[in-house]
Amino acid sequence: MSKRAVIVVDIQNEYFAPGKLPLVNIEQAAANAAQVIDAARQNKDLLVHVHHESLDPNAPVFTPGSGGVNIHESVAPNDDEPVILKNHPNSFLKTNLKELLDSNDVKEVVVVGAMSHMCIEATSRAASDFGYKVTVLEDACATMDLEFNGTTVPAAQVHATAMAALGFAYANVQSTPDYR
């Protein structure tokens, strides 16, 4: 096994239509993530699937037990691949992700998934803080339009801002074709 892990974060049904929180370009991001997953399997990289559930059983999104929390079929894990349940944006917070990576002598992580400005940023920053070499594949990530103070920020700008911040100090940000 290589010393690299691919972490697939929150590519879940909730983010695809008719889910409760559909993202802009999630279909293309998931298709790119599926290519990365296939390459990881061929390269014998550790492949870790992470999915989010709310701690509140009555939450409006990512409701425990709902179909929205299921990993999307386009990036479904194989039976032998670890799946980590998280309840916070940072995939390391209150999970066994770091222990799993360390027990497999992982030195480098590749992060794909959703949402660019939340869980991808939080997970990538934490991975960097833990000393892993981090690569984020920007076209295998997706986000949504956001609103702040009455201004709508288009998803493309939200995504670009998140990738620019990660690329500034936390990760090597590149496209899926450049990674392959």
Side-chain angles (χ1 to χ4, degrees):
M1 183 176 287
S2 79
K3 297 193 183 296
R4 179 175 45 219
V6 173
I7 304 173
V8 183
V9 181
D10 297 352
I11 302 181
Q12 296 172 246
N13 292 338
E14 200 79 281
Y15 287 137
F16 291 79
K20 296 176 187 171
L21 203 58
L23 302 183
V24 174
N25 295 326
I26 187 63
E27 294 84 5
Q28 185 60 54
N32 289 336
Q35 292 175 14
V36 173
I37 290 167
D38 287 343
R41 288 173 178 148
Q42 291 173 9
N43 295 334
K44 305 285 191 244
D45 294 334
L46 177 64
L47 187 53
V48 182
H49 301 265
V50 179
H51 70 111
H52 188 88
E53 283 188 15
S54 175
L55 289 170
D56 178 357
N58 299 309
V61 293
F62 298 105
T63 310
S66 72
V69 300
N70 295 334
I71 294 172
H72 193 265
E73 65 184 10
S74 64
V75 294
N78 287 342
D79 290 339
D80 61 338
E81 295 166 350
V83 177
I84 293 179
L85 172 65
K86 70 177 183 62
N87 308 112
H88 305 279
N90 175 354
S91 298
F92 290 90
L93 183 62
K94 298 183 181 180
T95 72
N96 69 336
L97 179 56
K98 183 170 185 333
E99 292 78 10
L100 176 64
L101 298 177
D102 290 349
S103 69
N104 284 279
D105 200 29
V106 168
K107 304 297 182 206
E108 173 188 358
V109 297
V110 177
V111 181
V112 300
M115 290 189 291
S116 305
H117 71 285
M118 288 294 294
C119 301
I120 299 306
E121 270 205 79
T123 299
S124 298
R125 289 173 187 244
S128 177
D129 288 345
F130 281 129
Y132 301 106
K133 177 183 174 190
V134 180
T135 298
V136 176
L137 301 179
E138 62 87 15
D139 60 348
C141 298
T143 194
M144 60 190 286
D145 295 348
L146 294 179
E147 187 274 328
F148 178 74
N149 250 358
T151 299
T152 298
V153 183
Q157 290 179 359
V158 173
H159 180 75
T161 301
M163 295 302 115
L166 288 173
F168 186 78
Y170 290 96
N172 174 24
V173 178
Q174 61 187 118
S175 69
T176 301
D178 289 341
Y179 173 71
R180 286 185 264 145

